Amino acid sequence: MGRRLHLPRLHIPLAIAKRLEWGRYVALAVLAGAALFLPRQGESLNELEPFKTAITVGFDRSWPFVAYAVALLAASAFYYKFFCRFICPLGAVMSLGGRLRRFDWLTRRVECGKPCQSCKAKCAYDAIEPTGEIRYDACFQCLDCVGIYHDDKRCPVLLYEKKGKVLTPKGVFNAGTGG
Ligand code: SF4
Ligand code: SF4
């Protein structure tokens, strides 16, 4: 609906988004602690996830639950995946996989970030640093950047290669001649 109504898409500066992302780890820690030590309260704390209200019972609940779910929907209408990125404890578990990974599986070029910022600008999850590195803990594995990487109409490195040129941090030069 947000897209259809052409609502503005808010952008949070990366430094602030990175801090807000810790919210999901806090949520995970609180839920895990409650499950271990306060199982009765844990059931209530599970209401942190709005899906029971929004989907299972179709908003047919008391107003605080409905207000919470509607507030999250509203936030998500203006900010892409607001709940998933900043609150979701399951998202925290999945992002731990990115933090604990043994290798980088998303292909990058030396030109990524230096100078090209195309994939960074296109990543809807802010999961690419200005340097071109992937933030695996924030990456949703949508593979948009992999699609761009292989697309000679969208990746400037391939685009210039087709024209016999090379993209470097200092500009675009003719391949072979360096001029
Ligand atoms: S468009 Fe190509 S060079 Fe630019 S960031 Fe993406 S993969 Fe790297
Ligand atoms: S796979 Fe998707 S979320 Fe991950 S870095 Fe690439 S574009 Fe961003």
Side-chain angles (χ1 to χ4, degrees):
M1 277 181 69
R3 276 199 295 272
R4 289 195 176 186
L5 293 171
H6 300 290
L7 295 179
R9 182 68 62 85
L10 297 183
H11 182 74
I12 297 177
L14 187 56
I16 296 175
K18 280 180 179 176
R19 288 195 185 156
L20 292 176
E21 283 168 9
W22 282 97
R24 57 192 173 182
Y25 297 117
V26 173
L28 176 63
V30 169
L31 288 185
L36 285 175
F37 303 111
L38 302 164
R40 283 195 183 171
Q41 285 84 345
E43 205 165 304
S44 311
L45 287 171
N46 281 341
E47 295 288 349
L48 186 71
E49 298 200 297
F51 306 117
K52 181 176 174 187
T53 303
I55 297 169
T56 312
V57 299
F59 293 98
D60 188 12
R61 297 190 83 184
S62 57
W63 74 264
F65 294 106
V66 174
Y68 175 63
V70 168
L72 285 177
L73 276 174
S76 299
F78 290 97
Y79 189 84
Y80 192 57
K81 306 268 188 199
F82 179 88
F83 177 81
C84 310
R85 290 182 58 186
F86 301 140
I87 303 174
C88 180
L90 179 60
V93 173
M94 290 160 77
S95 88
L96 284 176
R99 284 183 184 272
L100 300 174
R101 74 189 185 285
R102 308 300 298 169
F103 63 96
D104 296 347
W105 53 85
L106 296 174
T107 42
R108 303 270 74 202
R109 302 182 191 285
V110 289
E111 294 85 357
C112 300
K114 299 171 284 300
C116 183
Q117 296 288 325
S118 191
C119 286
K120 179 191 176 313
K122 299 268 168 33
C123 176
Y125 303 90
D126 287 335
I128 302 180
E129 294 276 9
T131 57
E133 284 170 70
I134 307 275
R135 296 198 300 129
Y136 279 85
D137 55 309
C139 172
F140 275 61
Q141 307 297 321
C142 70
L143 302 186
D144 281 357
C145 59
V146 177
I148 297 171
Y149 179 97
H150 292 290
D151 188 342
D152 65 7
K153 291 185 183 63
R154 290 187 291 165
C155 177
V157 171
L158 301 180
L159 205 69
Y160 284 121
E161 204 172 273
K162 271 198 315 189
K163 297 177 181 171
K165 298 177 185 243
V166 286
L167 177 69
T168 77
K170 290 186 178 164
V172 179
F173 299 98
N174 288 320
T177 66

